[in-house]
Amino acid sequence: MEAFLSLLGKVTSIFKRRPAPARSATVGARQAQPTSVPAFLESRRDRSEGVLPRFQTMASDQPYAGGGDKMASFRSRLRQAFTPSHPVADGRMFSGRQALLRTIIGAIENQRLHVVLYGERGIGKTSLLHMLRSAAGDARYLVVYTSCGALSSFDEIFRGAAADIPLLYHSGFAPNESEAERGSSLLDLLPTTQISPRVFGDLCAKLTGTRVLIILDEFDQCESAAFRRDIAELIKTLSDRLGRVQLVLSGVAGDLSDLVEHIPSIRRNIFAQHVEKMSDAEIASIVANGERETTMTFEPTATAFVVAASRGSPYLANLICHHAGHTALNQQRTTVKPADVAHAVEQAVDEFASRVSKPLVARVARIMEGNGSAIAAAARAALAADGTFTLQELVTEQDLDAKRAQQVIQLLVAEGLLREIQNDDTANYRFLDDGLPAFIWMSWARDGLEAIPTAPPSVRKTTSTGASA
Ligand SMILES: Nc1ncnc2c1ncn2[C@@H]1O[C@H](COP(=O)(O)OP(=O)(O)OP(=O)(O)O)[C@@H](O)[C@H]1O
Ligand SMILES: [Mg+2]
């Protein structure tokens, strides 16, 4: 008991020695209370008075009832405008890529080709597909959108597609026949046994009065070679039979044959499109569209910082703008300044670091000393392509001299951060962890933001329809 009392005495004296905590304006009214109240009791009181963090927006997207944050409506608009964790689904927020979308529509409409979109992670493939889907819907195409998974099978995906195609478009059924009227679909005509590309293709050949786009996103996720082979066969069957069904495949890949197998047999039937990084003007239009939607303003230098730090990645642009906007609002400003962008980049670095293992982060930090710009160039090269790059690209596209490029590759390989992939006769390099290029580039961008030229690219606010705003 004595021991317990002496321990209690020690604890109490520690509380007494602790200086009174700084208080915010809202809790200042309680300052008259005795300062000897132990800190743990203080914190208990704080909680009961509702200062615990809480959501700022209701599930209905309305500002929290009775919430005092006068920036709440800006925050809500900011969340809609910059969506780093979602593809763009709203045409108003879709920036750039107009020519690309026009080309894809032309290939579908004029050449009746099947489309394969490929490109690096986060480059905007799904967002582009959403715009294509909506444009096709406007032209009364039936659009079936499916996201593939590791275990996707031909049978499962195309039964799903058949269920979305009403029977009334089958040439064997008149529109007034009761089955067509009852809302039956092509699924009702499929056998219960596993369906093959030929069976599905034959059924599609009988469609009339409509056109169907079947979009298979995340095609790279599918691990089954049989599924990929079946898709190639379906493309061949649909093309030979002049079917009114066209496929659009999309996935992460450096080149076409990485994504679609058996390419030689279907090369003439597909339109393959690499989705490239965005131009500076396109990135600037992401900022400009966000300004319009949020009614906030990015200072020209802040926009230039976003453009420079994003390196053509719409994902990075959305992430940085999102954080920078919140940083400004936290300071009760609706104008985003360069310092907010710098802070946003800092936050992004922390986020990326948390996705890479600690030993890798430490190794990068160590070797960046003295080699920062060359390592950042390698990271940029990896971000610009599909994650792989060559020595030559470091020289021609990242302006490193050949000797320096060779040195940095050797250093990164020796440190176990980069691995060599022999592709035909060329050595390609890829960072060991896919999160490393963004982490390295952002760390470098954070340290060098002041050195970045500040003249913003000229920009118009555009939407997917091409309208200026
Ligand atoms: N045209 C665009 N305008 C504005 N933001 C865009 C555009 N395209 C993509 N983004 C943004 O970039 C990010 C990545 O987009 P998206 O999910 O479409 O890429 P993805 O290539 O499908 O990625 P993944 O390979 O991971 O599936 C998202 O935050 C999205 O909001
Ligand atoms: Mg996607």
Side-chain angles (χ1 to χ4, degrees):
M1 185 66 176
E2 252 176 45
F4 173 74
L5 285 177
S6 106
L7 184 64
L8 184 65
K10 274 188 200 144
V11 172
T12 320
S13 66
I14 290 169
F15 281 136
K16 280 185 181 146
R17 281 203 304 273
R18 181 177 287 185
R23 296 202 180 114
S24 68
T26 47
V27 292
R30 289 191 285 105
Q31 246 158 3
Q33 289 173 358
T35 52
S36 59
V37 175
F40 70 87
L41 288 181
E42 281 284 330
S43 65
R44 208 175 56 174
R45 241 181 236 142
D46 281 350
R47 230 174 288 153
S48 67
E49 286 175 23
V51 293
L52 268 181
R54 65 179 190 187
F55 286 75
Q56 313 224 1
T57 315
M58 304 299 285
S60 60
D61 290 341
Q62 302 301 314
Y64 202 101
D69 183 359
K70 62 181 195 275
M71 295 298 175
S73 63
F74 287 101
R75 283 184 209 287
S76 168
R77 289 198 291 270
L78 194 63
R79 279 191 286 269
Q80 316 281 338
F82 299 114
T83 54
S85 51
H86 302 291
V88 178
D90 176 352
R92 292 172 56 80
M93 296 316 302
F94 185 77
S95 307
R97 309 274 205 222
Q98 316 250 325
L100 184 55
L101 190 56
R102 208 171 295 124
T103 309
I104 295 169
I105 291 174
I108 292 172
E109 192 166 47
N110 301 327
Q111 302 187 63
R112 299 291 178 217
L113 290 170
H114 304 271
V115 174
V116 179
L117 290 180
Y118 62 100
E120 69 183 90
R121 189 151 289 294
I123 202 67
K125 300 177 294 299
T126 303
S127 304
L128 195 59
L129 291 178
H130 283 322
M131 297 307 120
L132 175 65
R133 183 184 186 177
S134 124
D138 290 347
R140 297 280 180 268
Y141 275 66
L142 290 177
V143 186
V144 181
Y145 175 93
T146 307
S147 200
C148 300
L151 302 177
S152 290
S153 73
F154 187 88
D155 187 76
E156 170 215 336
I157 290 210
F158 287 91
R159 268 184 201 284
D164 284 346
I165 305 175
L167 199 55
L168 66 92
Y169 293 114
H170 189 284
S171 56
F173 290 81
N176 56 357
E177 278 186 34
S178 59
E179 274 162 314
E181 277 181 346
R182 273 208 312 272
S184 306
S185 70
L186 288 200
L187 181 62
D188 301 314
L189 302 184
L190 287 174
T192 47
T193 50
Q194 289 260 326
I195 56 168
S196 67
R198 184 146 296 277
V199 167
F200 187 77
D202 286 348
L203 197 55
C204 292
K206 301 207 174 90
L207 287 179
T208 176
T210 192
R211 291 198 165 272
V212 182
L213 273 193
I214 301 181
I215 300 178
L216 305 185
D217 197 5
E218 312 271 352
F219 191 64
D220 56 297
Q221 293 292 312
C222 167
E223 286 165 2
S224 157
F227 177 63
R228 288 164 183 249
R229 198 178 48 238
D230 284 350
I231 294 293
E233 194 182 330
L234 178 62
I235 288 179
K236 192 87 183 74
T237 308
L238 290 173
S239 307
D240 291 349
R241 316 253 343 232
L242 301 176
R244 301 180 75 85
V245 176
Q246 285 163 276
L247 299 191
V248 180
L249 314 181
S250 169
V252 179
D255 68 47
L256 179 61
S257 46
D258 279 356
L259 194 64
V260 183
E261 285 166 46
H262 309 284
I263 273 298
S265 61
I266 55 168
R267 195 180 296 277
R268 281 182 302 112
N269 310 118
I270 58 173
F271 173 78
Q273 179 66 53
H274 182 224
V275 184
E276 305 205 335
K277 65 177 186 159
M278 284 185 158
S279 67
D280 287 357
E282 285 179 316
I283 295 287
S285 84
I286 291 182
V287 183
N289 284 342
E291 286 181 301
R292 183 198 59 219
E293 289 303 301
T294 56
T295 67
M296 295 175 70
T297 309
F298 279 65
E299 285 185 0
T301 314
T303 299
F305 275 17
V306 174
V307 170
S310 305
R311 295 297 303 180
S313 159
Y315 162 64
L316 290 180
N318 272 272
L319 182 68
I320 295 169
C321 288
H322 171 95
H323 284 326
H326 280 293
T327 303
L329 292 179
N330 288 345
Q331 293 171 30
Q332 311 297 306
R333 278 187 280 108
T334 57
T335 298
V336 178
K337 295 172 178 291
D340 301 323
V341 178
H343 185 255
V345 171
E346 185 86 40
Q347 278 176 284
V349 171
D350 289 346
E351 276 179 37
F352 291 136
S354 71
R355 291 178 206 158
V356 177
S357 76
K358 284 210 171 71
L360 284 187
V361 170
R363 222 177 299 163
V364 168
R366 176 168 51 75
I367 64 168
M368 288 287 275
E369 298 276 327
N371 300 296
S373 69
I375 293 175
R380 274 200 311 265
L383 284 173
D386 60 320
T388 59
F389 61 92
T390 61
L391 173 76
Q392 191 55 28
E393 280 164 8
L394 280 189
V395 177
T396 52
E397 285 161 35
Q398 303 300 330
D399 293 333
L400 285 190
D401 75 56
K403 195 164 156 229
R404 189 74 185 108
Q406 183 72 59
Q407 276 171 349
V408 77
I409 284 178
Q410 275 169 0
L411 174 67
L412 289 168
V413 171
E415 289 288 341
L417 296 172
L418 198 67
R419 68 188 142 94
E420 185 179 324
I421 306 163
Q422 203 63 31
N423 196 353
D424 298 331
D425 287 339
T426 320
N428 282 259
Y429 297 94
R430 188 178 188 95
F431 279 93
L432 206 69
D433 185 311
D434 283 348
L436 273 175
F439 168 63
I440 292 175
W441 165 247
M442 277 292 161
S443 308
W444 178 249
R446 170 192 56 190
D447 299 341
L449 267 184
E450 287 80 24
I452 286 168
T454 53
S458 64
V459 60
R460 286 187 316 143
K461 293 173 187 170
T462 57
T463 64
S464 64
T465 57
S468 297

Coordinates of all heavy atoms in Angstrom, one line a residue, residues 82-88 93-97 119-128 217-218 250-252 278 286 313-316 318-319, ligand 1:
F82 N -11.5 17.3 -57.5 CA -10.3 16.6 -57.6 C -10.4 15.2 -56.9 O -10.7 15.1 -55.7 CB -9.1 17.4 -56.9 CG -8.9 18.7 -57.5 CD1 -9.2 19.9 -56.8 CD2 -8.5 18.8 -58.9 CE1 -9.0 21.1 -57.4 CE2 -8.3 20.1 -59.5 CZ -8.6 21.2 -58.7
T83 N -10.3 14.2 -57.7 CA -10.7 12.8 -57.2 C -9.5 11.9 -57.4 O -9.5 11.0 -58.3 CB -11.9 12.3 -58.0 OG1 -11.6 12.3 -59.4 CG2 -13.1 13.0 -57.7
P84 N -8.4 12.0 -56.6 CA -7.3 11.2 -56.8 C -7.5 9.7 -56.7 O -6.8 8.9 -57.2 CB -6.3 11.7 -55.7 CG -7.1 12.4 -54.7 CD -8.3 13.0 -55.5
S85 N -8.6 9.3 -55.9 CA -8.8 7.9 -55.8 C -9.9 7.4 -56.6 O -10.3 6.2 -56.5 CB -9.1 7.6 -54.3 OG -10.1 8.5 -53.8
H86 N -10.5 8.2 -57.6 CA -11.5 7.7 -58.5 C -11.2 8.1 -59.9 O -10.8 9.2 -60.1 CB -12.9 8.2 -58.1 CG -13.3 7.9 -56.7 ND1 -13.6 6.7 -56.3 CD2 -13.4 8.7 -55.6 CE1 -13.9 6.7 -55.0 NE2 -13.8 7.9 -54.6
P87 N -11.6 7.3 -60.8 CA -11.6 7.8 -62.2 C -12.6 8.9 -62.4 O -13.5 9.0 -61.6 CB -12.1 6.5 -63.0 CG -12.1 5.4 -62.1 CD -12.2 5.9 -60.7
V88 N -12.4 9.7 -63.4 CA -13.4 10.8 -63.7 C -14.6 10.2 -64.3 O -14.5 9.5 -65.3 CB -12.8 11.8 -64.6 CG1 -13.8 12.9 -64.9 CG2 -11.5 12.4 -64.0
M93 N -15.4 17.3 -65.5 CA -14.1 17.3 -64.8 C -13.1 16.5 -65.7 O -12.0 16.3 -65.2 CB -14.2 16.6 -63.5 CG -15.1 17.3 -62.4 SD -14.7 19.1 -62.4 CE -13.0 19.1 -62.0
F94 N -13.5 16.1 -66.9 CA -12.6 15.4 -67.7 C -11.8 16.4 -68.5 O -12.3 17.2 -69.3 CB -13.4 14.5 -68.6 CG -12.5 13.6 -69.5 CD1 -12.0 12.5 -68.9 CD2 -12.3 13.9 -70.8 CE1 -11.2 11.6 -69.7 CE2 -11.5 13.0 -71.6 CZ -11.0 11.9 -71.0
S95 N -10.5 16.4 -68.3 CA -9.6 17.4 -69.0 C -8.9 16.8 -70.2 O -8.4 15.6 -70.1 CB -8.6 17.9 -68.0 OG -9.3 18.4 -66.9
G96 N -8.7 17.6 -71.2 CA -7.8 17.2 -72.3 C -8.3 15.9 -73.0 O -9.5 15.6 -72.9
R97 N -7.4 15.2 -73.6 CA -7.7 13.9 -74.3 C -8.8 14.0 -75.3 O -9.4 12.9 -75.6 CB -8.1 12.9 -73.2 CG -7.2 12.7 -72.0 CD -6.2 11.7 -72.3 NE -5.6 11.1 -71.1 CZ -4.4 10.9 -70.9 NH1 -3.5 11.2 -71.8 NH2 -4.0 10.3 -69.8
G119 N -1.7 1.3 -71.2 CA -0.9 2.4 -70.7 C -0.6 2.2 -69.2 O -1.1 1.2 -68.6
E120 N 0.2 3.0 -68.6 CA 0.6 2.8 -67.3 C -0.5 3.0 -66.3 O -1.5 3.6 -66.6 CB 1.8 3.7 -66.9 CG 1.4 5.2 -66.8 CD 2.5 6.1 -66.6 OE1 3.1 6.6 -67.5 OE2 2.8 6.4 -65.4
R121 N -0.3 2.6 -65.1 CA -1.2 2.7 -64.0 C -1.5 4.2 -63.7 O -0.6 5.0 -63.7 CB -0.7 2.0 -62.7 CG -1.7 1.9 -61.6 CD -1.5 0.7 -60.7 NE -1.8 -0.6 -61.3 CZ -3.0 -1.0 -61.7 NH1 -4.1 -0.2 -61.6 NH2 -3.2 -2.2 -62.2
G122 N -2.8 4.5 -63.6 CA -3.2 5.9 -63.2 C -3.1 6.9 -64.3 O -3.2 8.1 -64.0
I123 N -2.9 6.5 -65.5 CA -2.7 7.5 -66.6 C -4.0 8.0 -67.1 O -4.1 9.0 -67.9 CB -1.8 6.8 -67.7 CG1 -1.2 7.9 -68.6 CG2 -2.7 5.9 -68.6 CD1 -0.1 8.7 -67.8
G124 N -5.1 7.3 -66.8 CA -6.5 7.8 -67.1 C -7.2 7.0 -68.1 O -8.2 7.4 -68.8
K125 N -7.0 5.7 -68.1 CA -7.7 4.8 -69.0 C -9.1 4.6 -68.7 O -10.0 4.8 -69.5 CB -7.0 3.4 -69.0 CG -5.5 3.4 -69.4 CD -4.9 2.0 -69.3 CE -4.8 1.5 -67.9 NZ -3.9 2.3 -67.0
T126 N -9.4 4.4 -67.4 CA -10.8 4.2 -67.0 C -11.6 5.5 -67.2 O -12.8 5.4 -67.6 CB -10.9 3.7 -65.5 OG1 -10.1 2.5 -65.4 CG2 -12.3 3.4 -65.1
S127 N -11.0 6.6 -66.9 CA -11.7 7.9 -67.1 C -12.1 8.0 -68.5 O -13.2 8.4 -68.9 CB -10.8 9.0 -66.6 OG -10.4 8.9 -65.3
L128 N -11.1 7.7 -69.4 CA -11.4 7.8 -70.8 C -12.5 6.8 -71.2 O -13.4 7.2 -72.0 CB -10.1 7.4 -71.5 CG -9.9 7.7 -73.0 CD1 -10.1 9.2 -73.3 CD2 -8.6 7.2 -73.5
D217 N -12.6 -3.5 -68.8 CA -11.5 -2.7 -68.2 C -10.7 -3.7 -67.3 O -11.1 -4.8 -67.0 CB -12.2 -1.6 -67.4 CG -11.2 -0.5 -67.0 OD1 -10.0 -0.5 -67.5 OD2 -11.6 0.4 -66.2
E218 N -9.5 -3.2 -67.0 CA -8.6 -4.0 -66.1 C -8.3 -5.4 -66.7 O -8.2 -6.4 -66.0 CB -9.2 -4.2 -64.7 CG -9.7 -3.0 -64.1 CD -8.7 -2.2 -63.2 OE1 -7.6 -2.8 -63.0 OE2 -9.0 -1.1 -62.8
S250 N -9.1 -2.7 -72.0 CA -8.2 -1.7 -71.5 C -7.4 -2.3 -70.4 O -7.9 -3.1 -69.5 CB -9.0 -0.6 -71.0 OG -8.2 0.3 -70.2
G251 N -6.1 -2.0 -70.3 CA -5.3 -2.5 -69.2 C -3.9 -1.9 -69.1 O -3.5 -1.2 -70.0
V252 N -3.3 -2.2 -68.0 CA -1.9 -1.7 -67.8 C -0.9 -2.5 -68.6 O -0.8 -3.7 -68.4 CB -1.6 -1.8 -66.3 CG1 -0.1 -1.3 -66.0 CG2 -2.6 -1.1 -65.4
M278 N -0.1 13.1 -69.9 CA -0.8 14.4 -70.4 C 0.3 15.4 -70.7 O 1.3 15.5 -70.1 CB -1.7 14.9 -69.3 CG -3.0 14.1 -69.2 SD -4.1 14.9 -68.1 CE -5.7 14.2 -68.6
I286 N -6.7 20.5 -65.9 CA -7.3 19.9 -64.7 C -7.4 20.9 -63.6 O -8.4 21.0 -62.9 CB -6.3 18.7 -64.2 CG1 -6.4 17.6 -65.2 CG2 -6.8 18.2 -62.8 CD1 -5.5 16.3 -64.8
S313 N 1.1 13.3 -65.1 CA 0.2 12.3 -64.5 C -1.1 12.9 -64.0 O -1.0 13.7 -63.1 CB 1.0 11.6 -63.4 OG 0.0 11.0 -62.5
P314 N -2.2 12.5 -64.6 CA -3.5 13.1 -64.1 C -3.7 12.7 -62.6 O -4.3 13.5 -61.9 CB -4.5 12.6 -65.0 CG -3.9 11.3 -65.6 CD -2.5 11.6 -65.7
Y315 N -3.2 11.6 -62.3 CA -3.4 11.1 -60.9 C -2.6 12.0 -59.9 O -3.2 12.5 -58.9 CB -2.9 9.7 -60.7 CG -2.6 9.3 -59.3 CD1 -3.7 9.2 -58.4 CD2 -1.3 9.0 -58.8 CE1 -3.5 8.9 -57.0 CE2 -1.1 8.7 -57.5 CZ -2.2 8.7 -56.6 OH -1.9 8.4 -55.3
L316 N -1.4 12.3 -60.2 CA -0.6 13.2 -59.3 C -1.2 14.6 -59.3 O -1.3 15.2 -58.3 CB 0.9 13.3 -59.8 CG 1.7 12.0 -59.6 CD1 3.1 12.2 -60.1 CD2 1.7 11.6 -58.1
N318 N -4.3 15.5 -59.7 CA -5.5 15.4 -58.8 C -5.2 15.4 -57.3 O -5.8 16.0 -56.5 CB -6.4 14.2 -59.2 CG -7.4 14.6 -60.2 OD1 -8.5 15.0 -60.0 ND2 -7.0 14.3 -61.5
L319 N -4.2 14.5 -57.0 CA -3.7 14.4 -55.6 C -3.2 15.7 -55.1 O -3.6 16.1 -54.0 CB -2.7 13.3 -55.6 CG -2.2 12.9 -54.2 CD1 -3.3 12.2 -53.4 CD2 -0.9 12.0 -54.3
Ligands
LIG1 N1 -8.9 13.3 -68.4 C1 -8.7 13.5 -67.1 N2 -9.0 14.7 -66.5 C2 -8.9 14.8 -65.1 N3 -8.5 13.9 -64.3 C3 -8.2 12.7 -64.8 C4 -8.3 12.4 -66.2 N4 -7.9 11.2 -66.5 C5 -7.6 10.6 -65.3 N5 -7.7 11.5 -64.3 C6 -7.5 11.3 -62.9 O1 -6.3 10.5 -62.8 C7 -6.5 9.4 -61.9 C8 -6.3 8.1 -62.5 O2 -7.3 7.9 -63.5 P1 -7.9 6.5 -64.0 O3 -8.4 5.7 -62.8 O4 -8.8 6.8 -65.1 O5 -6.5 5.9 -64.5 P2 -6.3 4.4 -65.0 O6 -5.3 4.4 -66.1 O7 -7.6 3.7 -65.2 O8 -5.6 3.8 -63.7 P3 -5.4 2.2 -63.4 O9 -4.3 1.7 -64.3 O10 -4.9 2.2 -61.9 O11 -6.7 1.5 -63.5 C9 -7.8 9.7 -61.2 O12 -7.6 10.4 -60.1 C10 -8.6 10.5 -62.2 O13 -9.5 11.3 -61.5

